[in-house]
Structure formats: structure tokens, C-alpha cells
Amino acid sequence: MKRQQFAILIIIGFHFVSCTKERNNPIEATLVEGCKTFEELQPNLNSSGIDFECHGNAFLDLDQRNDSNPNGTWGFFGGTVKLHYQDNPFVDQTNASSKVLAVVEDSSNMPWSGFFFDLEAPVQFQGDLTAIALEVFSVVPGQSVLLKLENSNNPSQFKELVQVTTSENQWERLTYHFSVADSNQFDRLVLIMNSTFQNTEQMTYYLDSITLTELKEVPVATPSFTNLVWSDEFDYQGRPDETKWHHQTFAPNNGSWFNGELQHYVNSEENTYVSDGTLKVKAIKESYTTQSSTKDYTSARLNSKFSMTYGKIEVRAKLPSGAGTWPAIWTLGANIDEPGNFYGDSQGSVGWPLCGEIDIMEQNGWDKSQVYGHFHWGNTSTSAYENYGKIATVANTSTEFHVYSLVWTETELQIFIDDALNVVLDNTALNPYDNPHYLLLNIAVGGSLGGTVPANFSQEVMEVDYVRFYQ
């Protein structure tokens, strides 16, 4: 549940002046930087990798997808971006290729920019080849690179993953984990080269060698946290236990919440109550005024009156089904300076994102089969905003209970869904996950991840069966 919304997509479009997509003969003119001839082909991940070695998608103007050319095979968004093949400017042990793709983004771009290109055939994950790898020249550690697979005929059908670089000024191989179940669905590749910060000057990024590869071995959490130190089983009736939960109602963004959310959070028995063994957190369409601000929806945001450093948090929940809802199960560092939270300044006031945020579960408002696990933090050395996360596909989130959990140690943070590992983040000295965190439960309405709220929206509920903290 991001307190602020950051997104920068990195993409570049190749700008060439002749030749057509149907013309597969070598191009004799030097139209592509660094290539004496160029063979234009539609890329196909299934038959070979995409290596930018003077063959593939030439990214010509006449092939650009836009309003006047809906049949184009590539495109860009978010401002002025340019793509071109060029000699590898940084040959090293990771990438000794002669040619790479340069992605040039203007300083005046939107906070997000990116590019896409269509593949000859949908990606087929089979056998051991259930991941996509690519090589990126890492400008700085913590550069977020997003890879999205998309259906060109139905862009709302997609799967996106994020990896974060750990090197500085060198090539790095990033691996994105998919599964056989993702086969034959996606024939478009979208790349976001940097979601860590907004450019203040023209930036050039380098990309190479996009291939199918074997899934990297992923560590599995050991059941080391078995001592139950705090919980609520919701085995009572009425309002949430006031000794365990704090209703956060003060809107800290000039009478509103962040991310363009449309609700006020209130402490009302209509919005939070316990019955039949579960906590109900309800978003309701109703006009409500507070802090000289009127909103058309009310909801609830609960803070746990318990915080801890390292351990395991489990929440068993059933999510709302309605469009426009943004439910979240997440944590914040108790040293955050956000007014109205339970801890105030009792444990510090470093602010967001320096306090650190862990989204154990959040869900968008338009695809209720998608569940996000995400981390947001401020670099402890530079104070720069950084983030990392993944999206998992989970069936029946609104009709069945699922367990969303966090395992947090001094060296690693792992987010699980029903004991299946979703996302892992190394816990290093450069991120602030060494201080107490508290849990938040809430439903936002609309906003950057809630999306469009339907006109017939009435009310939606998230049910929570239990919350358990282990150490």
C-alpha cells in the first residue's frame, strides 16, 4: 500500500528511415548504428534469444504502433525515448557482445517511460525453461528493471515482474521467474528500465541478450519462528479489540490520503466489526466530511498495537471482489512520522520511505486474480527511494481464504502466499529493515492501484480470519 506512488518506465524506440517489416532481406544502407547491414526480423524468444546483433526489430518509424498505425509492431510511452543498436560500450565478463540496444530517455520525460515490441509468436515456457533472463548495464545498485509480458490483442492480460540491480557501472544478468502456466498467452514484451528515480538529465541505458532460461533456485524459508508473541483470532463479537487495534483516521495529505485515493478512513461499527469468527473491514459508498474535506466513500485503516523486529507475520484473509477496491495487508516502520498512526513519534520520526514498507499483500482494483508482494524503502546511504516486488496469480481470492505471510530475518525478507514463496529481498545495510514494524489492514477505494470505481459501487468487504506474529 504505497504511501506515495513512484514509477519510471524505461523504454526506447528505434528511429530508422527506410525498409519495411515485410522486407526480410539484408539492408545494405547503414541505417542502424554499428551495423553495415541489417536483417529485419520479428523477434521470437522460442526459437532464439534477442541479441541485437544486427538482426531483429529495426524499430522503424513506419512500424511504430500509434493512433494512426494500430498494426504497428513496437512503440514507446511516457515521453521522448529513442532506441538504437550500437557497439557495446562496456565489454566485460558478463557481456562480451559486440552490439547492444541503447535506450535514450530525455530529462523532460514523465516520471514513467518505457517501450514495447511484439514477438513473432507467444512465449512458450516448457521443460526447465520457465524464466526470462536479460543483461542490463547497471548504472547504480538498486536500479529497478520491470519486465512485462502482455497479450497484444488484450493488453489487460499481462504478467509483470521486477528485478533490482546490485552492481555499479557494469553489466548484470537479471532473471524473471515465470511458469509453464504462463505459456502461449503473451506475445508482447514491455520493458521498464528504471523505476527507482526520475531523470534530471538525459539518460542512456543499455540492454542485451533477452533469452529463455532455467528457473533460478529459490531459497525456502525454514520454520524458525514458532513462538507466538501476539495474535488476534477474532473469536469474539462486536468492535475490534481496542487493546490490540488502533483506527487511523487522520488524513495526512491535506485532508486526503496519498495515491489519489477516494475514501476517508473512519472508526465506525459499519466499517469494522467482528462476527462469525472473522474481522470485517468494509468500504462503503457514502459521503463523509472531516478536516474540511468531503469524500464519497468511507473505509477503515487499522494499526496493530504491537510491533516487532524480525519474525513471521501470518494473516489469513478473504479479499473483496469488487472493481475499484485496493485491499492491503502491510507493515510500516514504527519510526514513521505520519500523523495519526498509533506510534506517533515514540519510536522516531524518519519519515517515508526511510522507515521502510513491506506490502505482504495488496491487490489492484481491475484484476482480482493478481496479488502483489512489494517492498518500498529509502536507501540508508543516499536516502533515495527504492522498491522491489512481484505479482502472483492467485485463484478465488474473494471466495476462499488464503494465508499471506512474511518471514523476516537479519539477512532476508520473504513473502509467501499459502506457503508458496512469492518474492525475496536481501536484507542489507542499504535498506532500513532492522527496526520495529507494525501491521496495517485496510481497503482503499480508487487511486493508483484501485483504479476506476464503477458507478454501481455500494460496499465491499475484506474478511480476516486471524493475525499472528511469531518470533
Side-chain angles (χ1 to χ4, degrees):
M1 188 69 185
K2 294 184 284 293
R3 186 165 175 253
Q4 297 180 9
Q5 184 73 20
F6 288 75
I8 297 178
L9 307 181
I10 200 165
I11 174 173
I12 300 180
F14 287 21
H15 192 84
F16 301 103
V17 294
S18 69
C19 179
T20 66
K21 180 166 67 70
E22 293 77 14
R23 185 176 172 186
N24 291 326
N25 295 323
I27 301 172
E28 298 298 334
T30 309
L31 298 177
V32 180
E33 181 180 339
C35 297
K36 293 181 179 179
T37 62
F38 187 90
E39 185 180 9
E40 190 174 27
L41 303 169
Q42 193 164 6
N44 189 327
L45 273 177
N46 304 322
S47 59
S48 62
I50 303 172
D51 59 14
F52 307 109
E53 294 289 336
C54 296
H55 53 248
N57 195 332
F59 301 96
L60 300 172
D61 284 350
L62 57 85
D63 293 328
Q64 182 183 337
R65 183 181 178 92
N66 50 40
D67 292 341
S68 61
N69 184 20
N71 296 317
T73 60
W74 73 280
F76 63 85
F77 50 91
T80 301
V81 289
K82 297 179 181 178
L83 302 172
H84 63 267
Y85 291 69
Q86 72 163 66
D87 293 339
N88 185 351
F90 302 100
V91 175
D92 61 17
Q93 291 182 344
T94 301
N95 186 12
S97 297
S98 59
K99 300 291 186 294
V100 299
L101 180 63
V103 180
V104 183
E105 182 176 354
D106 278 3
S107 61
S108 58
N109 279 11
M110 297 291 289
W112 48 269
S113 63
F115 69 98
F116 66 87
F117 56 86
D118 292 341
L119 303 170
E120 184 180 32
V123 180
Q124 296 178 15
F125 298 101
Q126 52 188 335
D128 294 330
L129 300 179
T130 55
I132 294 177
L134 58 85
E135 292 173 1
V136 61
F137 184 79
S138 174
V139 179
V140 294
Q143 176 184 332
S144 297
V145 182
L146 183 148
L147 185 150
K148 177 195 286 189
L149 293 181
E150 190 173 273
N151 185 321
S152 63
N153 294 315
N154 180 17
S156 63
Q157 181 184 351
F158 67 90
K159 185 168 184 178
E160 64 181 29
L161 300 172
V162 176
Q163 293 288 4
V164 178
T165 64
T166 59
S167 306
E168 183 173 1
N169 291 328
Q170 66 184 56
W171 286 97
E172 186 168 338
R173 181 179 170 91
L174 304 178
T175 303
Y176 299 79
H177 299 176
F178 294 89
S179 68
V180 173
D182 297 317
S183 292
N184 298 311
Q185 300 184 57
F186 309 112
D187 61 349
R188 173 175 290 164
L189 192 147
V190 184
L191 279 165
I192 302 165
M193 301 297 293
N194 195 344
S195 61
T196 303
F197 58 85
Q198 183 173 359
N199 297 341
T200 57
E201 58 185 358
Q202 186 184 80
M203 295 293 295
T204 300
Y205 302 89
Y206 299 102
L207 175 71
D208 199 16
S209 301
I210 306 173
T211 60
L212 292 179
T213 188
E214 294 182 8
L215 191 69
K216 290 174 63 179
E217 189 172 332
V218 178
V220 177
T222 57
S224 55
F225 300 114
T226 58
N227 180 31
L228 184 65
V229 295
W230 188 89
S231 68
D232 197 336
E233 302 295 325
F234 303 111
D235 51 0
Y236 52 91
Q237 298 287 115
R239 300 305 309 284
D241 187 341
E242 291 185 356
T243 67
K244 297 182 176 182
W245 299 103
H246 165 74
H247 282 81
Q248 189 175 353
T249 61
F250 182 85
N253 188 24
N254 297 316
S256 297
W257 292 89
F258 298 97
N259 310 301
E261 299 164 30
L262 304 177
Q263 80 292 324
H264 274 309
Y265 289 124
V266 299
N267 182 358
S268 164
E269 62 183 359
E270 297 296 322
N271 297 90
T272 50
Y273 58 93
V274 178
S275 65
D276 301 320
T278 63
L279 167 70
K280 278 74 171 177
V281 180
K282 184 182 292 186
I284 303 173
K285 185 175 183 179
E286 60 179 347
S287 179
Y288 188 89
T289 302
T290 185
Q291 297 172 235
S292 301
S293 171
T294 300
K295 303 293 183 183
D296 293 329
Y297 306 90
T298 61
S299 187
R301 174 174 169 132
L302 295 175
N303 300 177
S304 66
K305 293 183 177 180
F306 181 84
S307 64
M308 72 177 185
T309 307
Y310 312 131
K312 181 177 182 179
I313 299 174
E314 285 187 344
V315 180
R316 186 170 186 262
K318 186 189 299 182
L319 308 181
S321 61
T325 57
W326 178 359
I329 299 168
W330 54 304
T331 78
L332 285 171
N335 56 355
I336 189 172
D337 64 353
E338 185 175 74
N341 81 91
F342 174 68
Y343 294 90
D345 59 1
S346 63
Q347 299 194 39
S349 56
V350 301
W352 188 97
L354 293 176
C355 64
E357 174 180 334
I358 306 170
D359 297 322
I360 301 172
M361 186 292 303
E362 56 182 349
Q363 186 181 60
N364 68 50
W366 53 88
D367 186 345
K368 293 303 182 181
S369 68
Q370 292 186 338
V371 174
Y372 297 66
H374 215 107
F375 302 93
H376 305 267
W377 70 94
N379 186 293
T380 56
S381 176
T382 66
S383 298
Y385 166 74
E386 299 184 11
N387 74 96
Y388 175 63
K390 290 186 177 180
I391 301 175
T393 299
V394 182
N396 306 317
T397 60
S398 61
T399 58
E400 297 179 5
F401 284 94
H402 295 274
V403 177
Y404 305 97
S405 58
L406 165 73
V407 174
W408 174 18
T409 71
E410 295 182 18
T411 59
E412 199 168 58
L413 298 102
Q414 302 175 341
I415 293 175
F416 292 81
I417 304 171
D418 293 330
D419 295 324
L421 185 62
N422 180 25
V423 58
V424 180
L425 179 72
D426 290 338
N427 198 3
T428 74
L430 294 178
N431 59 42
Y433 297 116
D434 59 355
N435 57 291
H437 275 231
Y438 63 96
L439 184 73
L440 297 96
L441 305 172
N442 69 283
I443 303 176
V445 180
S448 55
L449 204 58
T452 302
V453 183
N456 63 351
F457 182 98
S458 174
Q459 61 183 34
E460 289 289 339
V461 178
M462 175 169 66
E463 286 191 64
V464 180
D465 182 31
Y466 59 75
V467 176
R468 297 169 182 168
F469 285 63
Y470 298 87
Q471 284 189 311

